[in-house]
Amino acid sequence: METKIKTGPVRPEMQLKAAARKRRRYKSVFTYAAFVGPAMLFFLVIQIVPFLMGLYYSFTSWNGVSSAVQWVGFENYTKIFTNDTAFYESFKFTTKFMLAAVVISNLLGFCFALLLNAALKTRNILRTVFFIPNVIGGLLLGFIWQFIFVKGFASVGNLTGIEFFKMPWLGDETTAFWGIVIVFAWQISGYMMVIYVAALQGVDTSLLEAAKIDGASGWAMLTKIIIPLILPAFTICFFLTISMAFKIFDLNISLTGGGPFNSTQSVAINIYQEAFQNNRYGLGTAKSILFFLVVAIFTTAQVMITKKKEVEA
């Protein structure tokens, strides 16, 4: 036997409340779309679409100019893995440069942060001085340091007779490598310093005062209290320096141009020459896809390792 449930008429105030909730929902969706929509659109057009197009072109033999695009499958990737020694050498240099640059940049940035976190009267001026190199563009910075290495160091060496300044800084494979590392660290350490300073200022001073009362040394407080508490800052700084060092291009091309004899050629320069100078756009994009995967693996592994350390700390 069926029972019928009688429902009374919907009251006008309930209809008004439902309509108001619907208007608020539409308003929140519209507000979200107005603020996030343009950013999402630009990200899609500038990042996602070119990446997908590059992925497609990496399977072609397109020269970057012609309208004819021939599909070659994995032929470009086969060439890279079989007989492209220049790419391997550039990748070897870039990896070695990344390791040296990450260590030196973060060490300098952290030391600057410790110095400026102290009660110094000139710390605001020093912060500006240390951060200014990061404001200068890579190309301009490279040409400035090229003049310093070639002309400035030679003049100082002739006046003082010190062999350090007489070395062919950009004319030898070893010294050119360290020259690029020095300039990169000089440019980026100020940016790392800002992140470390922000982290140090968030450390609870009562912990440091209690450790000092208990007789802890400065080194013990640094290694046992300060560094474990600011490990998230190390995670951020390592991620930034690894990605920046891997993608170095403008500083490298303005300082050495990849020389002498391609001994300081980064992967970015190798990809640029392959695509835009040798007109092998398909092969160049295949190299860029592999490069993207390697950088993603390195940075992801670094973040996972340092995040694990944060949890343990």
Side-chain angles (χ1 to χ4, degrees):
M1 182 177 179
E2 295 183 359
T3 58
K4 295 182 179 180
I5 301 174
K6 294 182 178 181
T7 58
V10 180
R11 290 180 295 180
E13 57 269 20
M14 295 180 64
Q15 291 179 337
L16 291 174
K17 288 181 180 179
R21 285 197 299 268
K22 192 173 183 180
R23 284 196 301 269
R24 284 196 298 269
R25 186 166 60 249
Y26 283 139
K27 184 177 180 181
S28 63
V29 170
F30 176 77
T31 304
Y32 182 82
F35 282 97
V36 180
M40 292 294 294
L41 179 63
F42 278 109
F43 180 75
L44 181 68
V45 173
I46 297 173
Q47 296 287 342
I48 303 300
V49 172
F51 177 79
L52 295 177
M53 291 178 64
L55 185 62
Y56 165 73
Y57 286 125
S58 69
F59 294 100
T60 68
S61 62
W62 188 41
N63 61 6
V65 180
S66 174
S67 59
V69 179
Q70 183 181 359
W71 180 270
V72 295
F74 288 94
E75 183 179 329
N76 291 325
Y77 294 95
T78 305
K79 288 180 181 178
I80 296 171
F81 285 111
T82 54
N83 58 358
D84 198 334
T85 56
F87 183 71
Y88 280 113
E89 290 300 320
S90 64
F91 192 84
K92 180 181 176 182
F93 163 79
T94 306
T95 305
K96 186 171 66 171
F97 168 80
M98 181 272 297
L99 294 173
V102 167
V103 172
I104 295 174
S105 300
N106 282 280
L107 185 62
L108 282 175
F110 185 61
C111 290
F112 290 159
L114 289 175
L115 175 65
L116 298 180
N117 198 49
L120 296 176
K121 292 182 179 179
T122 58
R123 60 182 178 181
N124 290 331
I125 298 175
L126 290 176
R127 284 178 186 176
T128 305
V129 170
F130 292 148
F131 187 75
I132 279 178
N134 187 72
V135 180
I136 305 173
L139 280 173
L140 180 60
L141 198 66
F143 287 125
I144 291 172
W145 273 91
Q146 185 186 68
F147 175 80
I148 293 173
F149 281 131
V150 176
K151 301 292 184 180
F153 277 20
S155 300
V156 174
N158 292 331
L159 290 174
T160 60
I162 301 174
E163 289 298 326
F164 176 83
F165 296 104
K166 291 184 176 181
M167 290 191 296
W169 274 96
L170 301 181
D172 180 73
E173 178 180 351
T174 303
T175 53
F177 169 80
W178 287 109
I180 299 173
V181 171
I182 290 170
V183 179
F184 180 85
W186 183 77
Q187 180 189 26
I188 211 67
S189 57
Y191 186 37
M192 301 302 108
M193 174 201 69
V194 173
I195 300 174
Y196 286 128
V197 166
L200 288 172
Q201 290 180 347
V203 175
D204 190 355
T205 55
S206 62
L207 295 174
L208 302 178
E209 292 173 358
K212 190 180 294 184
I213 293 172
D214 291 338
S217 63
W219 178 254
M221 288 192 293
L222 177 65
T223 56
K224 302 297 182 181
I225 300 176
I226 295 176
I227 291 180
L229 288 176
I230 65 168
L231 277 177
F234 282 97
T235 301
I236 296 170
C237 289
F238 283 159
F239 174 82
L240 291 174
T241 48
I242 287 174
S243 59
M244 289 177 183
F246 260 125
K247 297 183 294 183
I248 184 173
F249 176 77
D250 50 358
L251 196 63
N252 190 192
I253 203 168
S254 59
L255 262 178
T256 63
F261 304 108
N262 293 331
S263 60
T264 61
Q265 184 185 78
S266 65
V267 176
I269 292 180
N270 182 270
I271 293 171
Y272 169 79
Q273 292 179 347
E274 194 72 70
F276 300 106
Q277 292 185 358
N278 299 335
N279 290 329
R280 290 196 287 260
Y281 196 88
L283 185 59
T285 51
K287 290 182 178 182
S288 66
I289 295 297
L290 292 176
F291 186 46
F292 164 78
L293 293 175
V294 171
V295 174
I297 291 170
F298 265 86
T299 52
T300 304
Q302 172 264 315
V303 170
M304 291 176 63
I305 292 170
T306 50
K307 280 290 184 182
K308 185 180 178 182
K309 296 292 183 182
E310 289 178 27
V311 174
E312 291 177 354

